[in-house]
Amino acid sequence: MSGSERQPPAGQVQLDSRPIFPTTDGNENIMEVDALSIRQSRDLEEKYKMDHQRRGVALIFNHEHFYWQLRLPDRRGTEADRRNLNRTLTDLGFEVRVYDDLKAKDVQKTIDEASKEDHSNADCFVCVFLSHGEDDHIYAYDDKIKIQTMTDMFRGDKCQSLVGKPKIFIIQACRGDQHDDAVIAHDATDSSESPDNWTEVDAATVYTLPAGADFIMCYSVAQGYYSHRCIVNGSWYIQDLCETLRDHGSSGEFTELLTVVNRKVSYRTVGRCKDINAIGKKQIPSFASMLTKKLYFHPKSKQII
């Protein structure tokens, strides 16, 4: 090394600023920092492959009535949620299967069979529960079922045809025993309800659960709070979720749409309710995303037969 060349002080970090040299094919030699920027930009645009032959299966477990020994109230208004979800998911291209008031063993059997199906030509999978909840369980007609037991059936080692594909679980159930108090915001608005459309609350608690890569858990309410359901129009969360999916589901990114749903539900306020402690209270949904890419439900091109 010549005496004119200087070495940096020990411990000093230098930027790698190697110049761009022409290559034999005429292209320029991109600096490493530029390559990193390009890779990061591509990461932000990474999307799930949603051009399979089928959109996928959507299971809806709707529970309105319960075995009398459970001492759980009927969930009036859930029929509206059932119809709303059936239409919305069908419009998005899903093969919707609806089940009403199944016993716990039948719910588990149905989910187990779905997990063993071949989903190779499907984009994704959806499972919806409309019920009461408690801790990390959801109620079927006669007993409660651990949620993680059901999500585990769709992990990569159990359901290989859904590896790397979105697995969406939507849970409409209460997640606690607290009411969310109203706070005045400068741009807040309240939705109006029909005079005959009373509000009820779904019972008990559901905790946020880890599920694994490419899962997204969508909850009607944040952990620790009541979830509200109108006896005529259905639950606040399902109403606003379906409306948002109908308006933007074919173009918007799914987690961004869930944020819109959060905002819509947060604008609502309990009006008429038999539980006087619930009057004037609010609700905010939540979701736990383990998705690894952006998720869109773009319309499928029609096949020419």
Side-chain angles (χ1 to χ4, degrees):
M1 180 182 295
S2 65
S4 60
E5 292 181 354
R6 296 181 179 178
Q7 291 183 334
Q12 181 176 325
V13 177
Q14 288 188 313
L15 293 176
D16 189 354
S17 55
R18 284 171 282 189
I20 301 175
F21 296 103
T23 60
T24 56
D25 60 3
N27 294 319
E28 291 183 328
N29 194 4
I30 300 176
M31 294 173 62
E32 289 184 8
V33 66
D34 293 327
L36 176 62
S37 297
I38 293 172
R39 185 168 67 250
Q40 289 175 336
S41 176
R42 289 174 178 170
D43 286 345
L44 292 175
E45 297 304 318
E46 194 78 14
K47 304 174 186 177
Y48 281 105
K49 177 180 171 62
M50 300 293 282
D51 58 356
H52 295 85
Q53 182 180 347
R54 300 184 296 128
R55 179 71 78 205
V57 172
L59 307 180
I60 300 177
F61 294 97
N62 175 51
H63 295 278
E64 179 176 3
H65 308 290
F66 301 88
Y67 185 53
W68 68 271
Q69 287 188 337
L70 295 179
R71 297 184 178 180
L72 292 171
D74 288 347
R75 300 182 62 258
R76 296 184 298 170
T78 191
E79 181 63 25
D81 287 344
R82 175 188 185 276
R83 290 194 304 269
N84 210 355
L85 282 163
N86 194 348
R87 183 180 68 172
T88 301
L89 293 174
T90 298
D91 289 346
L92 288 176
F94 285 96
E95 176 193 336
V96 181
R97 305 171 188 173
V98 181
Y99 305 92
D100 295 315
D101 295 336
L102 289 187
K103 293 181 178 180
K105 66 176 183 179
D106 295 322
V107 171
Q108 292 177 305
K109 180 175 180 290
T110 301
I111 293 177
D112 180 61
E113 290 174 348
S115 71
K116 293 176 180 176
E117 291 182 24
D118 184 2
H119 302 272
S120 299
N121 64 350
D123 294 334
C124 59
F125 172 79
V126 172
C127 187
V128 184
F129 288 94
L130 309 173
S131 189
H132 292 301
E134 180 178 300
D135 298 330
D136 55 351
H137 294 70
I138 198 81
Y139 274 97
Y141 171 75
D142 60 341
D143 201 359
K144 59 186 179 182
I145 305 170
K146 191 171 185 178
I147 296 173
Q148 190 167 347
T149 299
M150 294 179 287
T151 58
D152 280 351
M153 295 182 189
F154 296 93
R155 286 181 178 272
D157 57 339
K158 301 283 183 64
C159 185
Q160 294 189 1
S161 60
L162 281 175
V163 170
K165 299 179 180 181
K167 293 162 278 284
I168 305 164
F169 283 77
I170 300 172
I171 299 175
Q172 165 59 45
C174 202
R175 305 185 66 205
D177 55 4
Q178 300 180 59
H179 288 292
D180 199 351
D181 291 318
V183 177
I184 298 175
H186 292 295
D187 60 350
T189 59
D190 289 331
S191 62
S192 59
E193 295 288 350
S194 166
D196 296 325
N197 197 13
W198 286 69
T199 301
E200 296 183 343
V201 295
D202 282 329
T205 310
V206 174
Y207 296 148
T208 300
L209 299 169
D214 304 305
F215 281 80
I216 183 165
M217 307 296 292
C218 310
Y219 299 101
S220 63
V221 67
Q223 186 171 311
Y225 290 91
Y226 284 121
S227 180
H228 300 103
R229 172 175 27 84
C230 300
I231 63 174
V232 175
N233 297 329
S235 64
W236 292 359
Y237 178 64
I238 298 301
Q239 287 184 61
D240 291 334
L241 174 64
C242 289
E243 179 182 68
T244 302
L245 288 175
R246 284 197 301 271
D247 292 344
H248 309 289
S250 62
S251 59
E253 200 279 323
F254 186 60
T255 59
E256 293 179 1
L257 297 184
L258 291 177
T259 302
V260 173
V261 175
N262 286 0
R263 182 173 67 251
K264 287 185 174 184
V265 174
S266 72
Y267 285 164
R268 293 175 178 262
T269 303
V270 177
R272 306 178 67 189
C273 184
K274 290 182 179 180
D275 181 359
I276 61 174
N277 293 321
I279 295 175
K281 304 301 182 180
K282 309 286 285 184
Q283 176 181 331
I284 182 71
S286 68
F287 59 92
S289 176
M290 283 68 72
L291 298 181
T292 58
K293 302 174 185 177
K294 291 187 175 182
L295 174 57
Y296 292 89
F297 297 112
H298 295 311
K300 290 188 173 297
S301 57
K302 295 183 179 178
Q303 296 181 345
I304 301 176
I305 300 176

